[in-house]
Amino acid sequence: MQTPILEVKNLEVSFATYAGTIQAIRGVDFQLFEGETLAIVGESGSGKSVTTKTLLGLNAANATVKKGSQILLGNTNLADYKEKDWDQIRGKKIAMVFQDPMTSLDPTMTIGKQIAEPMEKHLGKKAKEAREAALALMKDVGIPDAEEHIDDYPHQWSGGMRQRAVIAIALAAEPDILIADEPTTALDVTIQAQILNILKAQQKKRKMAVIFITHDLGVVADVADRVAVMYAGKIVEKGTVNEIFYNPKHPYTWGLLSSMPTTSTALGSLHAIPGTPPDLLYPPKGDAFANRNAYALKIDHEKQPPFFQVSPTHEAATWLLDKRAPKVVPPEEIQKRQAYWQEHFVKEG
Amino acid sequence: MARYILKRALILIITMWIVVTATFFLMQILPGTPYNNPKLTQSAIDQLNATYGLDKPVLVQYWDYLINLLHGDLGTSFQYQNQSVSTLIGQRLPISAQLGFQALVVGVLLGLWFGAVSARNQNKKLDGFLGVISTLGISTPSFILAIVLLFVFGYQLDWLPISGWGDSFSQTILPTLALAVTPMAITTRFVRSEMIEVLHSDYIQLARAKGIGEDQVIQKHAYRNSMIPILTLIGPLTAGLLTGSTLVENIFSIPGIGQQFVSSIPTKDYPVIMGTTIVYALMLMVMILITDILTAIVDPRVRLQ
Ligand SMILES: Nc1ncnc2c1ncn2[C@@H]1O[C@H](COP(=O)(O)OP(=O)(O)OP(=O)(O)O)[C@@H](O)[C@H]1O
Ligand SMILES: [Mg+2]
C-alpha cells in the first residue's frame, strides 16, 4: 500500500467551558492517501468539524489538542504547531471549503480579490498576475462571464455561485489536501449536484486528496473512496465505500445506513437512531454507543472496544467482532437497502 | 448618487424649517423679557420693542424671521448691541468647530485603537482595564472632566494653560481632552463589540484558513467590516460634543459659540439663541449626511436611493 500523505494518530481535542472540559475528540486515527476522497460521516456533534478544523489549527480559542496527538504531514507533526507556523499549511497544503456560502465570503471585498489573496501570499504572484489567475480559476469552477463578474461583491451572487467562489478560494494556492465540511448542505438539491461535480472534477484534475464531511450517505456513495464513521468523538468504523455500504460491522453504522432516505417508497420510512449521543463533559466508560445499541453486550457498558480488523482496509470498534461474541446479522432494513443500492449505485472495484 | 444627495438635501431643508419653527415658538413661551434693567421706563421698552420688531403680532414676526433667514440674516443681538448674529456666530464658530473637530478625531481614533485591542485580547487583563476606562469615560460628564483636568494639569502641575484660545496650540489641549473622553469611551465599547462579532464570523474563519496571517486577517477583513457600523456613531457623537462644548467652553473661557449660547439664555437674547440653535442643528444634520454618504462608499451592500 502507498504511504499516506496525511496521518492522524491518537488525536484528542478538548474544550474548556464554564461547565467543565468537553472531550470532543477522544482518540481519532486515520490516514489519507494521495488523490482519494475520504468521507467522514456521523451525527451532529460527533466531532467531524472539530477533527478537520484541528488539521488547520482553526479551532476556537478554548480548544486544547492533547499532548501526544499526532497529525503527520510529511515529516512534520502539525499537532505541535504554534499560531505563526500554521500559515505555511493553511491554504497552501490544506485548504477548506466551508458549509454556508452566504456567510463565508467577506461582504466588503470583491470576489476577485478574495480569490487572488492566497495566490499573492503563497504563490508569490503580483496583484496583476493573481487577478489573471483568479479569473482563470473562476472560469474553471464554472462561474459564467467571469470577466464581467470578477469585481462583484458577494451580495450580488446566488448561493450556488458563492459556493463556487469559496471553492475557487480553497483551490487558489494549489493545496494537496482539500477539506469540504458539508459543502452542499446549505444549497438547493439541483445546485448540490453541480457543486459536487465541480469538486470531483477539480480533484481529478489536481490529484488532490479530499476529506468530505457530510450527513448525506447518498453523497458519500457518490463521492467517496473510503469512509470513516464517527460517533461521540471517535471513529467507530472505517473502510472502503463498498465495505461500509455492503458489509457494515458496527451497530452505529447500521443505524446510520437504515436512517438513509432512498427514493424508493418500497423501503418504507426513515429509521432515525433512537436516543441521543452521550454528554461529552462526562464521556462513558465503555462503548459510547452502548445505551442506544439494541445489540449491546454487557462488556459494551464496561470497556471500550478495540478496533477489530475485518479486511486489510476495513476495521470496526465493536465487541460484536470479538471471537467470544454471539453471531449477529445486520437488521433486515439494511439488507433490503443493500439490494436496492446494488441496483442503483454503479460502483466499480 | 446625485439624486440621493438631492433628496437628502431636501429632507435637510424641511428638518431645518421644523427646527426653526419649533425654536421660534419656544422662544415665545420662554419666561421673562430681554429687559432686566429696572431703570428702563415703559416708553423706552416700547421703543426698543418697536426697533426689534417685538411689537408686531407673533405670526408676522415669525414670517419676517423666515424671510430674513432665507437671506442669511439671523437678526441683531440684544446683548451685544448692533452686532448681527451672523457676525457673532461667524467669529465664534471656527473656534468651536476646531475644538469639536479635534475632540472628535482624538476621541474616535483612540476609541478605534482601544476597541480593537480590547477585542483581540477579549477577556484578558488589558480588555478588563480598557473596559473600566471606557465605563468611567461614559459615566463622567465632560464638564466634570474639564474641571479635573484643569485642576490637575493646569493648576497643580502647571503643565498646560488653563484658559483662553488662539495664543498657542497648548491652550487647546485640555479642552480637547475633556471633550474627547466621551467619544473615546463610546467608540471603544462599540468597536470592541463589533470587532468581537466580526472575529467570530464565518468569513473571518475563511480568511484565516487562507494562511495570510492574523495581522492581514484583521487589517484586510476585520477592520473594514467592523468600521461600517461605527460610522453611524459619528452623528450621535457630534450631538454629544455640541452639548458638551457649551459648558467646557465656559470652563476654559473659550470664546466659542457654546459659551455665547450659554450667556444668551439668561439675557433672553432671542436672536442669538435661535441663531445658535439653527447652526447646531445644521451641523448635526450635515454630519449625519456625510456619514451616510461615507457608509455607502465603504459598504458595497448599501445602495443609495
Ligand atoms: N468552541 C467550543 N466550545 C465547546 N465545545 C465545542 C466547541 N466547538 C465544538 N464543541 C463541541 O465539540 C463537539 C463536536 O462538534 P463538531 O462541530 O465537530 O460536530 P460535527 O460532527 O461537526 O456536527 P455537525 O454535523 O452538527 O456539524 C460537540 O459536542 C460540540 O458541542
Ligand atoms: Mg460540523
Side-chain angles (χ1 to χ4, degrees):
Chain A
M1 204 171 226
Q2 359 141 231
T3 47
I5 56 169
L6 178 78
E7 189 164 14
V8 174
K9 286 185 185 165
N10 196 26
L11 179 67
E12 292 185 44
V13 182
S14 60
F15 291 95
T17 67
Y18 288 114
T21 307
I22 295 180
Q23 256 114 56
I25 306 299
R26 308 182 299 135
V28 157
D29 300 78
F30 66 87
Q31 299 178 317
L32 185 69
F33 298 98
E34 204 178 288
E36 74 162 347
T37 299
L38 170 71
I40 304 183
V41 297
E43 282 170 306
S44 195
S46 56
K48 308 180 294 292
S49 297
V50 173
T51 301
T52 47
K53 279 185 189 169
T54 309
L55 304 182
L56 278 173
L58 282 178
N59 274 320
N62 61 338
T64 314
V65 177
K66 197 177 164 196
K67 264 208 152 46
S69 303
Q70 289 188 304
I71 304 168
L72 302 172
L73 184 76
N75 297 323
T76 48
N77 181 6
L78 304 184
D80 296 336
Y81 265 35
K82 300 271 168 301
E83 181 57 36
K84 63 172 190 332
D85 306 326
W86 279 111
D87 294 334
Q88 297 310 310
I89 304 298
R90 294 177 186 161
K92 189 179 179 191
K93 297 275 197 274
I94 309 177
M96 189 139 173
V97 174
F98 294 88
Q99 176 172 351
D100 187 356
M102 301 313 274
T103 55
S104 296
L105 293 165
D106 183 340
T108 61
M109 190 184 267
T110 64
I111 292 182
K113 281 203 180 124
Q114 297 192 50
I115 299 173
E117 227 180 347
M119 297 172 165
E120 290 173 29
K121 166 76 187 184
H122 298 297
L123 307 180
K125 287 192 160 57
K126 294 272 167 292
K128 200 157 163 274
E129 274 178 284
R131 188 182 160 89
E132 289 302 312
L135 189 64
L137 192 49
M138 284 169 75
K139 291 179 186 161
D140 216 14
V141 296
I143 294 168
D145 305 321
E147 285 92 348
E148 285 159 47
H149 293 295
I150 186 165
D151 294 322
D152 284 359
Y153 287 93
H155 73 272
Q156 296 166 276
W157 287 19
S158 69
M161 282 301 143
R162 291 193 207 186
Q163 195 64 317
R164 286 167 210 239
V166 171
I167 292 171
I169 291 171
L171 298 175
E174 296 162 5
D176 305 322
I177 300 170
L178 185 74
I179 298 168
D181 190 347
E182 305 195 35
T184 59
T185 312
L187 302 169
D188 291 347
V189 187
T190 48
I191 313 289
Q192 285 185 10
Q194 294 171 9
I195 296 294
L196 287 182
N197 286 335
I198 291 165
L199 282 171
K200 282 197 283 189
Q202 292 298 324
Q203 171 179 29
K204 206 163 168 196
K205 181 173 162 190
R206 293 157 189 269
K207 303 191 172 58
M208 285 181 307
V210 173
I211 300 178
F212 199 107
I213 297 177
T214 179
H215 286 275
D216 186 340
L217 288 162
V219 172
V220 173
D222 184 9
V223 302
D225 300 305
R226 290 192 305 124
V227 183
V229 180
M230 272 194 92
Y231 183 73
K234 286 180 173 241
I235 290 177
V236 295
E237 182 163 8
K238 57 194 165 200
T240 64
V241 68
N242 280 335
E243 284 165 336
I244 296 297
F245 277 84
Y246 296 112
N247 191 22
K249 292 297 183 193
H250 198 288
Y252 179 66
T253 313
W254 297 345
L256 279 185
L257 289 171
S258 358
S259 67
M260 184 178 172
T262 63
T263 43
S264 160
T265 45
L267 292 180
S269 57
L270 259 89
H271 292 249
I273 306 171
T276 50
D279 185 352
L280 294 177
L281 275 173
Y282 313 100
K285 185 162 61 140
D287 182 351
F289 188 57
N291 63 343
R292 299 170 74 186
N293 181 0
Y295 308 90
L297 308 170
K298 191 160 159 275
I299 190 169
D300 276 315
H301 295 280
E302 287 153 12
K303 203 162 174 234
Q304 300 205 5
F307 268 109
F308 292 91
Q309 207 74 35
V310 181
S311 82
T313 49
H314 185 189
E315 52 186 349
T318 165
W319 286 114
L320 290 179
L321 292 175
D322 191 273
K323 287 192 296 290
R324 291 156 291 178
K327 280 274 157 293
V328 171
V329 289
E332 204 185 326
E333 192 66 32
I334 300 270
Q335 295 167 18
K336 272 196 285 178
R337 272 155 210 260
Q338 285 171 341
Y340 171 82
W341 297 329
Q342 213 100 55
E343 281 169 41
H344 289 81
F345 304 154
V346 192
K347 265 271 169 188
E348 63 271 26
Chain B
M1 186 79 173
R3 262 193 64 186
Y4 173 79
I5 295 176
L6 208 73
K7 189 174 142 196
R8 290 295 303 260
L10 200 73
I11 296 175
L12 190 142
I13 290 169
I14 296 172
T15 318
M16 286 312 297
W17 171 71
I18 295 173
V19 169
V20 170
T21 310
T23 7
F24 184 88
F25 289 101
L26 281 172
M27 287 304 101
Q28 301 302 315
I29 54 172
L30 201 65
T33 69
Y35 317 112
N36 41 16
N37 186 341
K39 283 183 214 147
L40 275 177
T41 61
Q42 190 55 46
S43 68
I45 289 178
D46 288 344
Q47 195 177 347
L48 282 170
N49 274 343
T51 328
Y52 293 114
L54 295 178
D55 54 346
K56 294 187 203 160
V58 174
L59 281 180
V60 176
Q61 286 184 44
Y62 170 65
W63 184 249
D64 288 347
Y65 190 84
L66 276 187
I67 298 298
N68 289 337
L69 186 60
L70 286 181
H71 293 99
D73 178 3
L74 293 166
T76 316
S77 166
F78 300 163
Q79 194 184 179
Y80 309 91
Q81 262 144 29
N82 304 325
Q83 288 248 51
S84 84
V85 174
S86 4
T87 318
L88 278 175
I89 291 180
Q91 286 163 356
R92 289 166 171 262
L93 186 61
I95 297 173
S96 295
Q98 184 193 341
L99 177 60
F101 182 72
Q102 281 182 199
L104 192 67
V105 169
V106 170
V108 169
L109 287 183
L110 281 179
L112 288 175
W113 183 37
F114 289 167
V117 168
S118 243
R120 287 185 72 173
N121 293 284
Q122 195 191 349
N123 300 337
K124 296 199 186 132
K125 278 206 186 87
L126 191 55
D127 181 29
F129 173 72
L130 290 170
V132 172
I133 298 280
S134 60
T135 310
L136 277 177
I138 285 175
S139 46
T140 316
S142 49
F143 70 90
I144 304 261
L145 216 93
I147 294 168
V148 173
L149 287 174
L150 193 143
F151 184 74
V152 176
F153 295 101
Y155 181 71
Q156 295 257 294
L157 296 171
D158 197 18
W159 286 354
L160 290 162
I162 56 167
S163 72
W165 191 267
D167 309 318
S168 72
F169 178 75
S170 61
Q171 284 176 320
T172 72
I173 294 178
L174 290 181
T176 300
L177 285 182
L179 279 175
V181 167
T182 313
M184 180 276 285
I186 294 176
T187 315
T188 301
R189 290 190 152 200
F190 204 83
V191 172
R192 178 184 183 275
S193 68
E194 278 304 321
M195 189 95 164
I196 285 173
E197 197 179 315
V198 167
L199 287 176
H200 284 100
S201 68
D202 287 354
Y203 57 84
I204 292 296
Q205 169 129 303
L206 184 140
R208 287 190 173 127
K210 290 176 173 179
I212 53 173
E214 188 68 7
D215 288 341
Q216 290 276 306
V217 169
I218 303 272
Q219 282 162 30
K220 291 172 93 176
H221 299 280
Y223 265 133
R224 198 183 172 93
N225 281 285
S226 13
M227 238 27 54
I228 292 167
I230 287 152
L231 282 173
T232 59
L233 262 187
I234 307 278
L237 288 182
T238 307
L241 281 177
L242 293 177
T243 45
S245 67
T246 52
L247 291 174
V248 171
E249 283 179 9
N250 266 283
I251 291 167
F252 288 100
S253 316
I254 296 167
I257 51 172
Q259 191 198 36
Q260 174 183 284
F261 189 47
V262 172
S263 66
S264 66
I265 292 170
T267 55
K268 310 288 162 353
D269 194 346
Y270 299 141
V272 171
I273 301 178
M274 290 215 38
T276 316
T277 311
I278 290 168
V279 168
Y280 277 160
L282 192 65
M283 291 203 316
L284 186 57
M285 301 266 316
V286 169
M287 274 315 261
I288 292 173
L289 179 60
I290 291 174
T291 49
D292 283 356
I293 292 172
L294 276 180
T295 308
I297 290 171
V298 289
D299 188 349
R301 286 161 298 182
V302 175
R303 285 261 166 282
L304 298 179
Q305 43 200 290

